[in-house]
Amino acid sequence: MEPISTGPLVDASCVTEFSAAFVADPFLIRKDDRWYIFFEAWNNRYQKGEICYAFSENLQDWQYGQSIISQHYHLSYPCIFKWRGKEYLVPESRKAGFVGIYECRKFPDKWLFRKVLIEGDFADPTVFRHAKNWYMFLLSGKKTLVLYSASSLFGPWVQHPKSPLIKQSPSNTRPGGRVVSHGNDIYRICQDGDQIYGHRVFAYQIKKLSLSEYEEHKLIENEILGPGNDSWNRLAMHHVDAKRMKNGTWVACVDGASRFL
């Protein structure tokens, strides 16, 4: 997959409603012949993240939309997906002590909070559907990967019998993007924070997944994404969202950091 750009297509300077320190956690979705990226933007004044979006006709020229979800607590990691003709968004809201779901009422900027799915101190909720059931990877605390499951999107969500999947490991527990499905293969994307926060990204192939089973293996030993040589990504790259296009090729949005605030 050839890079569309060697530099950021959306950055903090694009945000118009407030002074933003950075943007992060991009999730990609296509609707009505347009591409959209939903992402976190850090509001300097209120010291918290908000969920914003940008859009493009060609994946190269992006226009900022607006901030669409703002709460009195921090929001990030806007995991967006479609189900039965509707768009849903599950962001990180660990500062509020729960994982909640939003339903789109008018795409892309009108969203309604539907309900709390899971209560607890969880980061980066990554929702996906497999074999007629719903699953969600979450970071518990700072170093533990947990898995929840449900037969319905709106729950009840229960902890998987194999969860926690990985305990006390900074290198492979924090989700780093949407679960990727390709044919019968599914892949978990995770951050490596062993050296510094969100340093690089690895992929794990999920070999077994059911309401009672879970097994995975590292896809390759090397990272699939890591720090680059440019000013915007020389410190870390910690998020990948890959989508397969109609012609069979793939496109992915990523983020990068040159410094941490």
Side-chain angles (χ1 to χ4, degrees), residues 17 38 51-53 66-70 89 108-111:
E17 300 100 324
F38 289 76
I51 306 304
C52 303
Y53 80 91
Q66 65 184 77
S67 172
I68 56 163
I69 304 177
S70 178
L89 192 150
D109 56 353
K110 302 298 182 185
W111 294 82

Side-chain angles (χ1 to χ4, degrees), residues 127-131 133 135 137 177-189 204-206 209 241-245 248-250:
V127 179
F128 65 104
R129 185 169 170 82
H130 175 71
N133 289 302
Y135 297 91
F137 290 119
R178 189 192 311 271
V179 169
V180 178
S181 298
H182 180 49
N184 294 323
D185 298 326
I186 49 178
Y187 304 91
R188 177 176 73 90
I189 309 301
Y204 284 76
Q205 185 172 4
I206 300 172
L209 177 60
D241 187 37
K243 301 282 285 185
R244 192 179 187 191
M245 297 193 288
T249 61
W250 289 77

Side-chain angles (χ1 to χ4, degrees), residues 113-129:
F113 182 83
R114 283 291 305 270
K115 67 176 299 187
V116 171
L117 299 181
I118 304 170
E119 294 185 347
D121 177 25
F122 298 116
D124 299 342
T126 304
V127 179
F128 65 104
R129 185 169 170 82

